Amino acid sequence: MRRAIVRGTGHYLPERVVENSWFEDKLDTSDEWIRARTGIERRHFAAEEQRTSDLGILAGRAALENAGLSADQLDAVIVATSTPDLTFPSVATMVQAGLGMRRGFAYDIQAVCAGFVYALANADAMIRAGLAERVLVIGAETFSRIMDWTDRGTCVLFGDGAGAVVLEAAEAEGASSDRGILATDLNSDGQYRDLLYVDGGVASTGTAGHLRMQGNLVFRHAVEKLADTAHHALDKGGLGPEDVDWLVPHQANLRIIEATAKRMQLPMDKVVLTVADHGNTSAASIPLALSVANAQGRIKPGQVLVAEAIGGGLAWGAVVLRW
Ligand code: UT7
């Protein structure tokens, strides 16, 4: 059978770093509260002229370099984002052009913070079905553009950035010892739309709108659903929590990550953490964490990784892969 294996990773973070203390004279908040309740210490914000596609192009270029490939060796580009440059065309086609790729196809996936997990599952299915040999999967976001800067419950949480992974087809046995994506688990439940949404859009207000969240309710769903989806994905892959070398969680809140690791009976030294330095970068958070950990040489060939995320929709899911 065919599997989608990871050939390379890359990321890009905008130059501007904003520490928690930056919010203190603007809002009734403190560095202490933000650290204690979220684990976030700082985040990156894109420059005024930088768009989501610019971040995606830089992350994509870094992943191609890491993979030792050129853009015209790709068959497809998938970008997970909820903060596109324009209503259309897709960010993915802009990234395709920016990378100088003149063949293949490109499209966006919108599953908010779960977007990268959805995009990986999509690319995996494409590769296994023989529709593509090599797919560049990117999570890229500029959530700073949809913040309500007067809402202390949301604006301190999010940051901008992009991460990318090159997936490549490889022949495999069909066993849990194979390299590559072993299993995926996707879920959504639209009855929870009011817990996390943006209050604007093309067909409603004609504006981009601002992010609205009932944080404590999302928190409860996250703690319950993330460990469940991770367990389901492991089960589908013929593995158990004891086989996991690295949990690569969506970086929304350190307390959610700790609770998920605990429910999976994983020690925190098996968890990739970037939330302190990146904040919540929505669909970009998992590929950013993956790329940072890979660049640090922490992920070794043969190791088992579980990536999981939840966000607006609600939409959530997990991917299990062997490096
Ligand atoms: O990425 C998509 C998925 N999103 C998430 O996973 C986010 C999930 N939610 C969370 O991470 C947490 O719910 C938050 C970090 C957003 C909030 O933490 P919490 O422990 O759930 O606090 P809370 O919302 O229950 O609020 C506790 C108190 C409230 O004050 P009162 O009503 O008790 O007086 C808030 O108004 O904390 C207050 N608060 C703040 N205080 C200082 C909320 N935001 C802030 C702030 N600074 N920035």
Side-chain angles (χ1 to χ4, degrees):
M1 71 173 287
R2 281 161 70 96
R3 294 265 196 212
I5 63 162
V6 176
R7 168 95 187 233
T9 60
H11 67 271
Y12 172 75
L13 287 159
E15 262 173 49
R16 183 176 170 217
V17 177
V18 171
E19 302 288 337
N20 288 345
S21 54
W22 184 78
F23 293 95
E24 284 177 345
D25 55 359
K26 297 174 176 59
L27 294 163
D28 180 14
T29 189
S30 64
D31 173 40
E32 198 188 344
W33 189 95
I34 301 168
R35 276 174 199 255
R37 308 303 290 176
T38 72
I40 298 166
E41 296 175 20
R42 59 193 64 83
R43 73 288 289 139
H44 294 247
F45 286 149
E48 213 170 307
E49 69 282 2
Q50 269 183 324
R51 296 181 174 199
T52 300
S53 63
D54 297 318
L55 277 50
I57 290 165
L58 292 167
R61 211 173 272 156
L64 283 171
E65 202 177 300
N66 183 248
L69 293 171
S70 62
D72 54 15
Q73 291 177 283
L74 295 170
D75 299 309
V77 178
I78 304 176
V79 175
T81 189
S82 303
T83 45
D85 300 17
L86 302 171
T87 301
F88 75 79
S90 63
V91 174
T93 54
M94 298 178 191
V95 171
Q96 182 189 27
L99 292 175
M101 176 185 163
R102 301 296 299 276
R103 56 181 295 277
F105 57 97
Y107 60 97
D108 289 357
I109 280 189
Q110 208 271 51
V112 204
C113 297
F116 191 75
V117 165
Y118 272 62
L120 274 186
N122 217 261
D124 174 50
M126 288 266 173
I127 287 173
R128 282 189 295 107
L131 294 172
E133 296 295 315
R134 294 195 186 103
V135 183
L136 177 63
V137 188
I138 298 175
E141 301 279 19
T142 47
F143 261 51
S144 62
R145 304 283 155 77
I146 52 166
M147 289 298 109
D148 172 353
W149 299 104
T150 65
D151 177 12
R152 68 177 183 171
T154 55
C155 73
V156 303
L157 305 174
F158 293 88
D160 302 335
V165 167
V166 179
L167 292 179
E168 184 174 63
E171 277 307 314
E173 307 237 312
S176 60
S177 55
D178 291 345
R179 286 184 65 208
I181 295 181
L182 298 174
T184 60
D185 185 61
L186 303 183
N187 312 268
S188 62
D189 190 343
Q191 70 171 312
Y192 296 119
R193 84 169 219 183
D194 291 345
L195 298 193
L196 177 50
Y197 66 100
V198 167
D199 63 4
V202 186
S204 53
T205 60
T207 61
H210 295 108
L211 183 144
R212 306 290 170 206
M213 178 167 72
Q214 297 182 50
N216 46 8
L217 294 180
V218 176
F219 191 104
R220 271 186 245 163
H221 282 283
V223 169
E224 175 197 307
K225 293 181 165 58
L226 289 173
D228 282 357
T229 185
H231 279 128
H232 287 144
L234 281 165
D235 212 36
K236 290 182 195 175
L239 297 169
E242 65 283 0
D243 299 309
V244 176
D245 294 294
W246 294 106
L247 180 66
V248 189
H250 171 45
Q251 310 281 322
N253 185 317
L254 181 60
R255 288 155 57 219
I256 295 175
I257 296 171
E258 286 171 344
T260 305
K262 195 171 168 195
R263 286 169 79 114
M264 293 180 71
Q265 296 184 311
L266 288 178
M268 286 304 287
D269 61 5
K270 288 190 172 184
V271 183
V272 177
L273 290 175
T274 49
V275 63
D277 294 328
H278 301 170
N280 181 347
T281 57
S282 190
S285 94
I286 288 175
L288 268 166
L290 203 54
S291 174
V292 167
N294 192 27
Q296 291 168 342
R298 294 165 73 194
I299 309 176
K300 310 282 185 224
Q303 288 190 324
V304 172
L305 281 67
V306 178
E308 41 78 346
I310 187 167
L314 295 174
W316 67 101
V319 173
V320 176
L321 65 94
R322 191 182 292 281
W323 206 249

